[in-house]
Amino acid sequence: MNFKIIFSLALLLMISTTTFAGFPVERVAKTTTEVNAASEASNELVSPAAVAADRQTVAILLWLFLGAFAAHRWYLGSPILWNIIFILTAGFFVVGWVIDGIDIITGNYPGL
């Protein structure tokens, strides 16, 4: 008896997932152009220096925790071949990992 219930539920699940949105649906984006002083004042202003500091913080955290997988290098846009070599040589025998960390902390790494 329990097998029939489980089989029925599984069959219902398979049928419902294949028929869900099986036809094209038009999506319309609604935009409003009305701006008042209250909504404009609530927008947070961000300086380019703050964005760079956030990028540097993320790069430091990636370097610290996922440095062996070259996560900081991928994040900062280093060339793909160098990233793969970095991974295969254990961070250029750890020396490159330390140099990358110093460059990221001082802000001299390309891509910051």
Side-chain angles (χ1 to χ4, degrees):
M1 184 69 176
N2 289 335
F3 177 73
K4 290 180 181 179
I5 294 172
I6 293 173
F7 181 74
S8 299
L9 289 174
L11 185 63
L12 179 66
L13 181 65
M14 287 189 297
I15 291 171
S16 65
T17 57
T18 58
T19 59
F20 179 71
F23 54 89
V25 177
E26 283 189 39
R27 299 183 186 264
V28 178
K30 294 182 181 179
T31 59
T32 58
T33 57
E34 296 178 22
V35 178
N36 57 21
S39 66
E40 193 171 310
S42 67
N43 290 341
E44 185 176 330
L45 299 176
V46 179
S47 70
V51 173
D54 288 342
R55 188 168 174 85
Q56 185 178 13
T57 304
V58 171
I60 289 171
L61 292 173
L62 287 172
W63 169 78
L64 187 62
F65 294 111
L66 297 172
F69 303 108
H72 61 285
R73 298 178 66 88
W74 294 105
Y75 177 71
L76 294 174
S78 295
I80 294 172
L81 182 62
W82 283 109
N83 294 345
I84 293 170
I85 292 171
F86 188 89
I87 294 169
L88 295 176
T89 60
F92 302 129
F93 307 107
V94 183
V95 175
W97 180 76
V98 172
I99 292 172
D100 281 354
I102 293 169
D103 283 345
I104 291 170
I105 290 169
T106 59
N108 293 330
Y109 196 89
L112 277 178

